[in-house]
Amino acid sequence: MATYQEFIQQNEDRDGVRCSWNLWPSSRLEATRLVVPVSCLYTPLKERPDLPPVQYEPVLCSRANCKAVLNPLCQVDFRAKIWACNFCFQRNSRGPPTPLIFLYVVDTCLEEEDLQALKESLQMSLSLLPPNALVGLITFGRIIQVHELSCEGIAKSFVFRGTKELTPKQIQEMLGLMKPATSGQFLQPVEAVDMNLTDLLGELQRDPWPVPQGKRPLRSTGIALSIAIGLLEGTFPNTGARVMLFTGGPPTQGPGMVVGDELKTPIRSWHDIQKDNARHLKKATKYYEALANRAAVNGHSVDIYACALDQTGLLEIKCLSNLTGGHIVMGDSFNTSLFKQTFQRVFSKDYNGEFRMAFGGTLEVKTSRELKVSGAIGPCVSLNTKGPCVSDNEMGVGGTCQWKICSLTPATTLALYFEVVNQHNAPVPQGGRGAIQFVTQYQHSNTQRRIRVTTIARNWADAQSQIQHIESSFDQEASAVLMARLGVFKAESEEGPDVLRWLDRQLIRLCQKFGQFSKDDPNSFRLSESLSLYPQFMFHLRRSPFLQVFNNSPDESSYYRHHFVRQDLTQSLIMIQPILYSYSFYGPPEPVLLDSSSILPDRILLMDTFFQLVIYHGETIAQWRKAGYQEMAEYENFKQLLQAPLDDAQEILQTRFPMPRYIDTEHGGSQARFLLSKVNPSQTHNNLYAWGQESGAPILTDDVSLQVFMDHLKKLAVSSSA
């Protein structure tokens, strides 16, 4: 008989689904008592080479709240190519497929070297686009220029002031979009303008407006984005399109400004925000949220590529990508391999040679009558579709059974939360199964419309007589990620300490429910195998940059959270609890505990946190490396030892999106902090003498260790007064 572990793996491989519980409690009260909600992680476009699509697109009714599929009961006028929907009587005709659209929005207030590198990356990207894709260019600094791409030999552009807010209608009138077929001057097929656009990008100059001493450049990011979204709204509503913003600093003038142009006024920090001292924050955030919702309504996604040494205003602008499924890439400079390779990976191809990107997606969730859907957390917006399966108890983005996901990749993963409907005195009868269906409609990168349907079922179990079975069905990895997403979602609107208290409460309740113990005896506390790792996931989550803002700028926190709520289970777990490998002379590399006891003088460590890859050389290894032993023939094995983690890191660096930051450090090195801040501080300056000198590296911290955390947890879980 298959174990639950095998069952979980088979279902993930087949359906792209991981459920928190793989047996479902048969009443609402029992579901509440399980603490971790009935929920799942779902990857709609999980790559399945063995799943060929049906060879024509589904034909759907064009009325937004109907979308029924063409069927034998519809009346069809074959001559006029029109059909009438038999559900809502809408008359439908089929338009030609529209190509993919890429609109580059480029900040020219960059240093010369940065601008040059960015121009080369943009020119390179043209060669990666499908020849029939439409492409457009907007540049901005103090003013905004919308470049015409249709005129041979003459560079023409429409110029806008960066301080004046414009309505969508005004933008469309000024660009002449009210006349039929005028989008052509701004959005052209790559094959028609490849040479022209390459030259135009090559000739881009830095913003000519002089920047006085002690001032920031005037950067009109807000209006530039408003024009980009207005241009696409007016020309290609409800069509797959990407706005790609490249920026090298914060918006400093006009609507959406984040900081003024005086350098002596620093950009807001967490401290300023907590003290209500960030004067542009609320207004700017509101401005970008309105733009994000307009883009989402039309199925357009917005990518943000922000490269600068200081903050660029991601905290305020992030909603544009978070709500539309766009990418956020953050780096120090456009002239780094981190940016160049990550940007190239946006255009990576799958096993069929097609882009790993889909557009204009909607996800609908249908449930059997014993379940209702509470909400979703991921790169989506609500379509406010009420229905019998929508719960009043909202978690994440709730109150709907349909969400819009303007851009997806094969890794995009949503968390979905459910509620068991049946009351305690009328539980679901035993022997039945509950079912959930996920219907994802999207525009494939070859411009075809596709539907992917995934249907899952799980058995109902009586929580009184079958609690052991329910416990064995617990997927602690999926549950850790699902609870972490709820925590991160809360952290966006609640105070940090409140979120940590909420997570702690849930963990204590779970341990009280499933731990085996004698009342008031912490030493008797035991958790079964299916829950044994869950507390340590929570320990590392509490210390993670998703919930701890200490030592991170608001922009960095926004960046980390953005990626956490869209990655699949494996990547999410690495973010919560980084992986640590140890390399030594004594055998092949091995995974070791993320613990200060693993930091030994004669070992090299490779730590993968998803965002960083850290190679750390122990004290002895670092001394030998400094002495150059690896250059001597008789120390060939030392040379190989130094090379092994580099080769393994290379493998990760070549595939991950976004490309991680690569850090090479050693005992006593300034960047060793990246490792020391992540490991469990089982030895600190406070308890060093209890451990002796040889068993690892003491860490200067007041953070509690996993051992102390577990001791507290056991004490609270077994307490009769809890």
Side-chain angles (χ1 to χ4, degrees), residues 212-497:
Q213 193 74 38
K215 298 270 192 182
R216 293 185 178 90
L218 292 170
R219 192 181 268 108
S220 318
T221 319
I223 295 289
L225 284 165
S226 169
I227 291 168
I229 287 164
L231 168 61
L232 289 175
E233 267 174 341
T235 49
F236 290 98
N238 301 311
T239 303
R242 291 196 99 88
V243 173
M244 305 177 101
L245 170 71
F246 303 88
T247 182
T252 50
Q253 74 161 5
M257 75 185 273
V258 166
V259 65
D261 65 345
E262 291 280 352
L263 272 173
K264 66 171 189 271
T265 313
I267 189 167
R268 40 98 197 107
S269 64
W270 278 122
H271 184 71
D272 295 327
I273 293 166
Q274 280 149 6
K275 293 270 177 288
D276 205 14
N277 210 6
R279 55 181 286 227
H280 300 290
L281 176 66
K282 288 194 176 92
K283 197 172 172 193
T285 305
K286 193 174 166 198
Y287 177 78
Y288 292 114
E289 278 175 356
L291 286 182
N293 282 310
R294 274 172 50 200
V297 162
N298 284 291
H300 302 149
S301 71
V302 182
D303 294 347
I304 303 170
Y305 304 90
C307 288
L309 289 168
D310 195 5
Q311 296 186 77
T312 56
L314 268 188
L315 174 68
E316 291 80 359
I317 305 174
K318 66 178 181 207
C319 52
L320 280 160
S321 299
N322 290 354
L323 299 182
T324 65
H327 300 303
I328 296 184
V329 174
M330 187 174 162
D332 293 342
S333 155
F334 289 111
N335 197 19
T336 57
S337 62
L338 188 138
F339 165 72
K340 291 175 185 175
Q341 293 193 32
T342 299
F343 182 51
Q344 214 164 334
R345 276 172 214 171
V346 171
F347 305 99
S348 69
K349 306 263 172 65
D350 65 10
Y351 51 89
N352 283 328
E354 294 179 308
F355 278 152
R356 282 193 166 95
M357 57 171 91
F359 296 85
T362 59
L363 170 66
E364 181 177 3
V365 175
K366 299 173 188 289
T367 60
S368 53
R369 62 174 181 226
E370 314 87 353
L371 285 170
K372 287 191 174 184
V373 61
S374 297
I377 298 178
C380 58
V381 290
S382 167
L383 279 171
N384 294 316
T385 311
K386 303 292 183 232
C389 68
V390 176
S391 165
D392 294 333
N393 173 23
E394 292 189 21
M395 289 171 137
V397 180
T400 181
C401 57
Q402 289 189 11
W403 295 265
K404 192 146 193 179
I405 317 164
C406 300
S407 173
L408 303 98
T409 73
T412 304
T413 301
L414 281 90
L416 294 135
Y417 300 86
F418 302 92
E419 177 181 51
V420 178
V421 173
N422 289 50
Q423 293 301 334
H424 194 53
N425 54 6
V428 182
Q430 294 306 288
R433 308 178 85 193
I436 301 172
Q437 186 173 70
F438 306 98
V439 182
T440 311
Q441 304 188 24
Y442 62 97
Q443 181 186 326
H444 188 269
S445 63
N446 65 11
T447 73
Q448 229 184 25
R449 290 295 308 173
R450 287 190 182 174
I451 296 184
R452 184 181 287 203
V453 182
T454 306
T455 312
I456 65 167
R458 297 289 185 272
N459 292 340
W460 295 108
D462 171 39
Q464 305 296 314
S465 58
Q466 296 176 292
I467 193 71
Q468 261 81 33
H469 291 298
I470 291 178
E471 185 177 341
S472 311
S473 83
F474 185 64
D475 182 339
Q476 53 192 334
E477 295 180 338
S479 299
V481 175
L482 286 155
M483 292 300 275
R485 283 215 192 179
L486 277 172
V488 169
F489 185 84
K490 284 173 177 292
E492 288 291 294
S493 57
E494 296 177 27
E495 294 289 321

Side-chain angles (χ1 to χ4, degrees), residues 157-183:
S157 63
F158 283 57
V159 178
F160 292 81
R161 274 213 309 263
T163 49
K164 188 166 189 279
E165 192 159 353
L166 300 165
T167 64
K169 190 163 184 265
Q170 285 172 315
I171 291 167
Q172 286 153 21
E173 278 171 355
M174 288 169 158
L175 292 173
L177 300 180
M178 298 307 194
K179 304 181 208 118
T182 48
S183 70

Side-chain angles (χ1 to χ4, degrees), residues 12-205:
E12 184 179 17
D13 293 344
R14 189 189 64 219
D15 301 329
V17 174
R18 287 279 288 259
C19 291
S20 54
W21 303 94
N22 289 288
L23 278 176
W24 290 339
S26 52
S27 76
R28 178 184 296 190
L29 182 65
E30 292 300 349
T32 313
R33 285 177 176 164
L34 294 184
V35 185
V36 174
V38 172
S39 50
C40 68
L41 291 164
Y42 176 49
T43 308
L45 301 194
K46 186 176 174 65
E47 288 189 335
R48 282 275 307 274
D50 59 333
L51 193 71
V54 178
Q55 281 314 307
Y56 66 90
E57 299 180 21
V59 180
L60 304 179
C61 174
S62 59
R63 180 166 291 180
N65 58 0
C66 175
K67 287 206 163 81
V69 180
L70 174 63
N71 61 77
L73 303 177
C74 298
Q75 291 184 336
V76 181
D77 179 338
F78 289 99
R79 273 220 322 265
K81 293 187 175 164
I82 290 173
W83 61 280
C85 174
N86 60 316
F87 291 99
C88 72
F89 308 111
Q90 169 85 355
R91 287 167 65 76
N92 299 282
S93 64
R94 198 117 199 243
T98 46
L100 300 183
I101 301 159
F102 297 86
L103 178 53
Y104 296 157
V105 181
V106 181
D107 173 5
T108 55
C109 300
L110 302 176
E111 294 299 327
E112 199 56 65
E113 185 186 294
D114 248 26
L115 184 60
Q116 188 52 41
L118 175 56
K119 292 187 328 193
E120 286 165 14
S121 283
L122 294 175
Q123 287 168 324
M124 171 279 300
S125 71
L126 295 178
S127 65
L128 302 175
L129 297 178
N132 67 339
L134 300 183
V135 64
L137 176 66
I138 294 175
T139 56
F140 69 96
R142 187 172 191 252
I143 56 167
I144 296 98
Q145 290 178 275
V146 184
H147 296 266
E148 273 198 13
L149 302 179
S150 53
C151 36
E152 287 291 326
I154 312 160
K156 264 175 78 179
S157 63
F158 283 57
V159 178
F160 292 81
R161 274 213 309 263
T163 49
K164 188 166 189 279
E165 192 159 353
L166 300 165
T167 64
K169 190 163 184 265
Q170 285 172 315
I171 291 167
Q172 286 153 21
E173 278 171 355
M174 288 169 158
L175 292 173
L177 300 180
M178 298 307 194
K179 304 181 208 118
T182 48
S183 70
Q185 56 200 109
F186 305 114
L187 297 162
Q188 283 276 325
V190 174
E191 55 196 349
V193 294
D194 191 6
M195 298 290 288
N196 270 4
L197 187 51
T198 303
D199 292 346
L200 180 58
L201 286 166
E203 287 157 14
L204 280 186
Q205 300 293 315

Side-chain angles (χ1 to χ4, degrees), residues 482-555:
L482 286 155
M483 292 300 275
R485 283 215 192 179
L486 277 172
V488 169
F489 185 84
K490 284 173 177 292
E492 288 291 294
S493 57
E494 296 177 27
E495 294 289 321
D498 294 345
V499 176
L500 293 179
R501 272 195 291 274
W502 175 81
L503 271 173
D504 290 346
R505 259 200 321 275
Q506 306 308 309
L507 176 59
I508 294 162
R509 284 180 54 212
L510 189 74
C511 289
Q512 286 168 335
K513 175 78 177 171
F514 292 104
Q516 286 153 356
F517 54 85
S518 312
K519 275 269 181 248
D520 295 318
D521 177 8
N523 294 328
S524 66
F525 182 85
R526 297 284 175 278
L527 277 175
S528 69
E529 201 182 334
S530 61
L531 289 112
S532 57
L533 296 173
Y534 187 81
Q536 81 182 41
F537 289 139
M538 292 297 114
F539 168 76
H540 288 291
L541 175 66
R542 292 174 96 265
R543 306 179 76 214
S544 72
F546 312 114
L547 300 180
Q548 296 289 351
V549 299
F550 178 71
N551 260 349
N552 285 318
S553 68
D555 278 14

